[in-house]
Amino acid sequence: MSAASEMGAENQETQPALENATPLTTRVGTVILGRMDFTSELLRLIGMELFKIRRRLMSRVLGTIAVCLALLVPLAVGIEVAVNMQTPASSFAPACPSSAAASGECTPLSHAYLEGIKTSIITSLSEPLRLPSSLELAATQGEFNPALLLIIILVGTIAGGELSSGTIRLMFARGPWRGQFLLAKYGAALICTVVGVLGMAIVGVIAGQLFNLFSGVPQNWTFLNAAWIGHALLYLLATMLNWFMYAVVAIFFAFLGRSTVAGIVGAVTWFFAEPIISNILTFAGNFSVGFAGTFLRALPSYLMGNNARALQLDQAHYLFGGTGPSQSDLQAFITLAIYLAIFIGLTWWLNESRDVTN
Amino acid sequence: MPEVGSCDVARRRRWRRAWRAVKGSEEVQAYIETSLQSEVIISTNRLTKAYGKLVAVNDLHIQVMRGDVFGFLGPNGAGKSTTIRMLLGLVRPTAGSAIIFGMDIAYQMPTILRHVGALIEMPVFHPFLSARDNLHVVAAASGMVSGRANRRRIEEVLELVELKDQEKMVYRKFSLGMKQRLGIAAALLTDPELLLLDEPTNGLDPAGMYEIRQLIQRLAALGKTIFLSSHLLNEVQQVCNRVAILQKGNLIKQGNVRELLRNKEQILVHLRTSDEFERAQAVLAEARVNGVDWLGSVHLEKDRQGQETLHIDAPRTHSAEVNRLLSEHEIFAAELHPYEGSLEEVYLQLTTPATATGEHLGMAALAGNSELLDPQEFHSGTNGTGKSEQDKGASV
């Protein structure tokens, strides 16, 4: 008889013992389970998501890009200011009109006057390096808002990667219910958004202040009061909400397409398509008359991006001047809440009802 | 096939909500504790999964008792992995139910999963994390506290599967065998009461397979219940005490391994001359006529070397009596081997009708094996039993 058969036979001998009722086994002493209430489990899962993000090379790369973006604008402005600082004051002399030059009416300007023009131009150029303007640039990097794309990539990856690689089945078979895993993703996305916006704002503002030292223009703090700080916080919160809305869209598309690519492409397409659709609707509305025209012109104010930006614009109006948004904060909040409910609800439904077959 | 209607789904949702609302209470905790002490660890009732018209698992009834090492066998596409996925809540059953630790998987999955460790087909982990970090993630998902205690347990399981030296290597660089080991480590991480292992020796070398077998036997000795799905019948035969065989989603056999093999037992006798073979056959046939009821059919087989062997369908424990019977008639065996039979023969007979026609498999012996599926153990007599009886009828 082979060794294997012998082992089998030996095992057969022990079978009656196995069939007997055995006491409930206890876990070994090194397995220490934490609290199992909903919040504790959720916090543990969020911690787990953040641990994965921290250990990912991609998140480090995205973080570095975000810091570079926050530094880029102050750096560009700082270089321009430095170049102008080195330029002689005479170069700032206003050009003499050709007719005046021909008739010899252009008289040379005094050095003090030219220095005044230079200082004025440098003050104007370096304005984005100083608060309050530096806050706007640090948080949004202008109209395009490239940092928002970074959060879409990050969140699309943490949600879709789990589904495309199949690790979702490992997670779902461990204990917490599916909804908690989804909430953990939202929690991690929210934390990344908060850290991203605050981080970029802080880095951008500090970098602006540092580069501003070269301009020699002092920071004017007269704007600073409790109301300004309040609006600044609301502005940052509105920016976070704007980012988080796209993070939610990325999670939805990632779950819908069960992949990272679907999450990123879906949210990025949404991000770029909204302004185009908005313009098309306005354009079509202007060419239509009556109810159809009013309806088409009204539609862009119900698009997600426009409402998220409206909240930012409302605070920017207080902080940095300029025109306010076309729709009210209340409308923006209600619209965004509906978008959130739809996207989170659909993702929840997909997550709960789908079979994990990969 | 029974269908789950929308009312049923709504009822389940309501039940689940109610369950979540009360699960923190002391009464419920006491109920869970009682359920965990149930002797029936897994019990499925008409468990069915259909993907459109394709029925992956049909009316499955299985029972796994505490301490069982339960082999779950079947050809590719038989529905083994789908069943395991249903038991883990990854796939929703189309109909039927499954009870684990006395709790219904439809309502109390999170509580059940805290006592279950699973390895599902090829394990998948985060490719950018090391073995240790992946286990940290699994530990957090399993409810283990972070910190030193957690790290100690991770080290323990890494040592157990011999991945301690590669603990810092990222998962994407792992070989197939290392991935499998990490999967087993993850399954064992919380030291669960029940282990669901789907092809645990996939990708392992013979030494690795042997170690996993040893590990399963050690865990079984500790009182763990193991549900093992495998293609490797020799492996199953060595470690499992009970098996269920699935084909095309239907349960065709369930029973004790020893009971299944009892009907396959043979006594092999080598004799020197063809005259002795003829006389031996005659002696044994006469003994059977004279009422030696444990004697089955007797036939002659030639091996590859052309050596003839007398195959006697009889329990191994009667080897001495066979020897005595022959020697009384002055037939002296050159060699006499008790042969226990193999699960492979049982499996092939049940799953491939063509093989089942082979005389050497001892059809007659197996045909009488239907009592292994006790109809009273199950709620319906129309489960896999019905089909298996048909199959057997055809093959016999």
Side-chain angles (χ1 to χ4, degrees), chain A residues 53-123:
Chain A
I53 291 171
R54 219 172 61 226
R55 291 296 168 109
R56 253 196 143 109
L57 180 65
M58 191 202 68
S59 19
R60 288 177 208 166
V61 171
L62 291 177
T64 310
I65 294 172
V67 171
C68 290
L69 280 174
L71 290 171
L72 196 67
V73 178
L75 182 70
V77 175
I79 289 170
E80 194 181 358
V81 168
V83 168
N84 280 291
M85 292 281 286
Q86 298 302 317
T87 311
S90 57
S91 305
F92 293 95
C96 185
S98 54
S99 56
S103 59
E105 287 174 8
C106 280
T107 51
L109 298 167
S110 69
H111 183 70
Y113 183 75
L114 289 173
E115 279 295 331
I117 293 173
K118 182 182 173 183
T119 308
S120 162
I121 287 172
I122 286 171
T123 306

Side-chain angles (χ1 to χ4, degrees), chain B residues 62-222:
Chain B
I62 50 169
Q63 268 200 340
V64 180
M65 307 302 286
R66 189 182 296 283
D68 268 352
V69 181
F70 192 89
F72 201 47
L73 309 173
N76 286 334
K80 303 187 297 293
S81 294
T82 305
T83 305
I84 291 183
R85 282 167 189 270
M86 281 194 280
L87 294 176
L88 289 167
L90 297 173
V91 167
R92 314 270 188 210
T94 312
S97 63
I99 308 288
I100 302 179
F101 296 117
M103 291 177 271
D104 195 324
I105 59 164
Y107 314 122
Q108 291 138 288
M109 205 66 216
T111 314
I112 293 167
L113 288 177
R114 279 186 203 125
H115 302 272
V116 177
L119 172 75
I120 314 149
E121 284 178 333
M122 265 318 292
V124 183
F125 289 89
H126 298 286
F128 53 91
L129 293 179
S130 67
R132 174 180 276 274
D133 287 345
N134 264 305
L135 290 180
H136 270 296
V137 169
V138 174
S142 312
M144 283 172 71
V145 294
S146 53
R148 195 168 293 170
N150 180 334
R151 283 203 293 273
R152 263 184 64 196
R153 179 61 187 163
I154 288 170
E155 272 169 26
E156 272 177 17
V157 290
L158 282 172
E159 270 170 24
L160 196 69
V161 296
E162 294 182 359
L163 278 179
K164 189 81 179 70
D165 295 336
Q166 290 89 23
E167 64 174 9
K168 286 180 182 164
M169 189 193 279
V170 287
Y171 179 73
R172 65 169 163 266
K173 291 181 182 170
F174 273 28
S175 68
L176 196 63
M178 286 162 75
K179 286 176 179 174
Q180 201 70 14
R181 283 163 195 270
L182 188 61
I184 293 166
L188 295 173
L189 193 62
T190 55
D191 190 26
E193 162 99 40
L194 169 66
L195 278 162
L196 300 178
L197 305 176
D198 194 1
E199 305 286 352
T201 51
N202 250 2
L204 297 182
D205 54 21
M209 284 183 185
Y210 176 75
E211 283 161 20
I212 297 301
R213 274 203 303 273
Q214 295 291 307
L215 179 65
I216 291 172
Q217 284 171 341
R218 278 206 305 276
L219 292 167
L222 288 171

Side-chain angles (χ1 to χ4, degrees), chain B residues 129-382:
Chain B
L129 293 179
S130 67
R132 174 180 276 274
D133 287 345
N134 264 305
L135 290 180
H136 270 296
V137 169
V138 174
S142 312
M144 283 172 71
V145 294
S146 53
R148 195 168 293 170
N150 180 334
R151 283 203 293 273
R152 263 184 64 196
R153 179 61 187 163
I154 288 170
E155 272 169 26
E156 272 177 17
V157 290
L158 282 172
E159 270 170 24
L160 196 69
V161 296
E162 294 182 359
L163 278 179
K164 189 81 179 70
D165 295 336
Q166 290 89 23
E167 64 174 9
K168 286 180 182 164
M169 189 193 279
V170 287
Y171 179 73
R172 65 169 163 266
K173 291 181 182 170
F174 273 28
S175 68
L176 196 63
M178 286 162 75
K179 286 176 179 174
Q180 201 70 14
R181 283 163 195 270
L182 188 61
I184 293 166
L188 295 173
L189 193 62
T190 55
D191 190 26
E193 162 99 40
L194 169 66
L195 278 162
L196 300 178
L197 305 176
D198 194 1
E199 305 286 352
T201 51
N202 250 2
L204 297 182
D205 54 21
M209 284 183 185
Y210 176 75
E211 283 161 20
I212 297 301
R213 274 203 303 273
Q214 295 291 307
L215 179 65
I216 291 172
Q217 284 171 341
R218 278 206 305 276
L219 292 167
L222 288 171
K224 308 278 181 204
T225 306
I226 297 162
F227 188 87
L228 172 73
S229 157
S230 180
H231 285 116
L232 302 174
L233 300 164
N234 186 37
E235 173 185 288
V236 171
Q237 188 177 341
Q238 288 180 58
V239 297
C240 296
N241 64 321
R242 292 184 66 231
V243 290
I245 301 175
L246 222 61
Q247 191 178 33
K248 292 179 183 168
N250 293 289
L251 179 73
I252 55 171
K253 197 66 132 183
Q254 179 175 212
N256 190 299
V257 172
R258 205 162 45 166
E259 291 294 319
L260 282 169
L261 295 178
R262 184 166 293 158
N263 299 292
K264 303 298 301 172
E265 286 183 2
Q266 288 185 329
I267 297 164
L268 312 183
V269 181
H270 289 288
L271 297 166
R272 286 192 185 82
T273 63
S274 54
D275 172 54
E276 281 183 321
F277 277 114
E278 282 168 20
R279 281 170 54 212
Q281 276 178 304
V283 165
L284 293 168
E286 189 188 333
R288 201 164 49 181
V289 171
N290 290 340
V292 182
D293 57 352
W294 48 264
L295 258 177
S297 62
V298 179
H299 55 273
L300 209 58
E301 273 187 28
K302 250 185 194 170
D303 64 13
R304 282 179 189 168
Q305 283 78 39
Q307 193 178 10
E308 285 183 320
T309 311
L310 198 62
H311 287 240
I312 306 163
D313 290 340
R316 291 187 299 158
T317 47
H318 290 283
S319 303
E321 287 168 66
V322 168
N323 199 18
R324 184 180 54 78
L325 259 174
L326 295 176
S327 59
E328 276 174 2
H329 293 82
E330 298 195 342
I331 304 166
F332 300 103
E335 286 175 44
L336 193 140
H337 296 279
Y339 173 66
E340 69 165 342
S342 75
L343 204 52
E344 190 173 59
E345 289 169 354
V346 178
Y347 173 86
L348 288 174
Q349 185 204 1
L350 291 168
T351 57
T352 52
T355 319
T357 54
E359 196 182 316
H360 69 283
L361 289 176
M363 295 298 104
L366 266 163
N369 227 0
S370 57
E371 73 275 8
L372 288 169
L373 261 180
D374 182 0
Q376 287 181 348
E377 219 176 76
F378 305 107
H379 302 277
S380 164
T382 57

Side-chain angles (χ1 to χ4, degrees), chain A residues 232-287:
Chain A
L233 287 175
L234 285 175
Y235 177 73
L236 290 176
L237 282 174
T239 309
M240 287 169 197
L241 181 63
N242 188 12
W243 285 28
F244 185 65
M245 292 302 300
Y246 286 96
V248 167
V249 174
I251 291 176
F252 165 71
F253 281 110
F255 272 79
L256 184 68
R258 299 186 205 209
S259 69
T260 307
V261 177
I264 296 171
V265 172
V268 169
T269 307
W270 189 287
F271 177 73
F272 284 112
E274 262 198 336
I276 297 168
I277 291 168
S278 186
N279 286 334
I280 291 170
L281 288 171
T282 311
F283 185 74
N286 289 337
F287 278 91

Side-chain angles (χ1 to χ4, degrees), chain A residues 7 11 15 19 21-22 24-25 27-28 30 32 34 41 55 162 165 169 174-176 178 352 355-356, chain B residues 39 49 66 85 89-90 92 110 114 120 122 124 126 133 141-143 145 149 156 190-191 193 222 238 256:
Chain A
M7 215 167 82
N11 186 47
Q15 279 172 7
E19 281 167 17
T22 48
L24 183 74
T25 55
R27 295 182 204 269
V28 292
T30 43
I32 299 168
E41 273 191 317
R55 291 296 168 109
E162 202 93 72
S165 70
R169 74 178 190 213
R174 299 311 301 188
R178 293 182 179 196
E352 285 286 323
D355 287 340
V356 181
Chain B
E39 285 308 306
K49 179 65 190 180
R66 189 182 296 283
R85 282 167 189 270
L90 297 173
R92 314 270 188 210
R114 279 186 203 125
I120 314 149
M122 265 318 292
V124 183
H126 298 286
D133 287 345
S142 312
V145 294
E156 272 177 17
T190 55
D191 190 26
E193 162 99 40
L222 288 171
Q238 288 180 58
N256 190 299

Side-chain angles (χ1 to χ4, degrees), chain A:
Chain A
M1 204 189 305
S2 68
S5 313
E6 274 171 13
M7 215 167 82
E10 191 184 324
N11 186 47
Q12 300 292 312
E13 298 303 315
T14 61
Q15 279 172 7
L18 293 177
E19 281 167 17
N20 288 338
T22 48
L24 183 74
T25 55
T26 50
R27 295 182 204 269
V28 292
T30 43
V31 178
I32 299 168
L33 295 176
R35 290 174 60 176
M36 291 298 181
D37 59 284
F38 180 87
T39 316
S40 303
E41 273 191 317
L42 182 59
L43 290 175
R44 229 178 355 250
L45 291 174
I46 292 173
M48 177 194 82
E49 290 294 339
L50 294 175
F51 174 78
K52 285 191 281 186
I53 291 171
R54 219 172 61 226
R55 291 296 168 109
R56 253 196 143 109
L57 180 65
M58 191 202 68
S59 19
R60 288 177 208 166
V61 171
L62 291 177
T64 310
I65 294 172
V67 171
C68 290
L69 280 174
L71 290 171
L72 196 67
V73 178
L75 182 70
V77 175
I79 289 170
E80 194 181 358
V81 168
V83 168
N84 280 291
M85 292 281 286
Q86 298 302 317
T87 311
S90 57
S91 305
F92 293 95
C96 185
S98 54
S99 56
S103 59
E105 287 174 8
C106 280
T107 51
L109 298 167
S110 69
H111 183 70
Y113 183 75
L114 289 173
E115 279 295 331
I117 293 173
K118 182 182 173 183
T119 308
S120 162
I121 287 172
I122 286 171
T123 306
S124 169
L125 274 175
S126 62
E127 186 66 35
L129 297 177
R130 292 185 297 278
L131 280 169
S133 302
S134 63
L135 179 68
E136 186 180 21
L137 275 178
T140 61
Q141 302 87 46
E143 193 65 28
F144 178 57
N145 206 349
L148 208 151
L149 296 176
L150 300 182
I151 202 81
I152 288 174
I153 294 169
L154 182 68
V155 174
T157 310
I158 62 171
E162 202 93 72
L163 293 150
S164 50
S165 70
T167 47
I168 195 85
R169 74 178 190 213
L170 178 76
M171 296 291 112
F172 281 179
R174 299 311 301 188
W177 53 285
R178 293 182 179 196
Q180 281 177 309
F181 280 105
L182 182 61
L183 286 176
K185 299 268 178 222
Y186 285 124
L190 190 60
I191 290 169
C192 291
T193 302
V194 171
V195 170
V197 170
L198 284 181
M200 288 189 74
I202 291 166
V203 169
V205 168
I206 292 173
Q209 291 295 322
L210 289 174
F211 286 117
N212 186 51
L213 293 176
F214 300 109
S215 72
V217 182
Q219 167 72 56
N220 182 2
W221 295 103
T222 52
F223 66 89
L224 195 65
N225 55 34
W228 190 91
I229 292 171
H231 283 298
L233 287 175
L234 285 175
Y235 177 73
L236 290 176
L237 282 174
T239 309
M240 287 169 197
L241 181 63
N242 188 12
W243 285 28
F244 185 65
M245 292 302 300
Y246 286 96
V248 167
V249 174
I251 291 176
F252 165 71
F253 281 110
F255 272 79
L256 184 68
R258 299 186 205 209
S259 69
T260 307
V261 177
I264 296 171
V265 172
V268 169
T269 307
W270 189 287
F271 177 73
F272 284 112
E274 262 198 336
I276 297 168
I277 291 168
S278 186
N279 286 334
I280 291 170
L281 288 171
T282 311
F283 185 74
N286 289 337
F287 278 91
S288 308
V289 288
F291 172 75
T294 315
F295 179 73
L296 288 173
R297 279 194 302 275
L299 275 181
S301 63
Y302 293 97
L303 293 177
M304 192 183 84
N306 289 346
N307 283 280
R309 264 192 300 280
L311 290 173
Q312 278 181 291
L313 277 175
D314 190 31
Q315 298 309 315
H317 166 65
Y318 290 107
L319 295 168
F320 321 115
T323 54
S326 55
Q327 60 258 59
S328 71
D329 282 356
L330 183 66
Q331 186 205 321
F333 269 123
I334 292 171
T335 311
L336 291 178
I338 291 170
Y339 273 104
L340 273 181
I342 291 171
F343 280 118
I344 294 176
L346 285 174
T347 315
W348 192 280
W349 175 73
L350 287 172
N351 184 45
E352 285 286 323
S353 58
R354 266 187 182 165
D355 287 340
V356 181
T357 50
N358 60 341

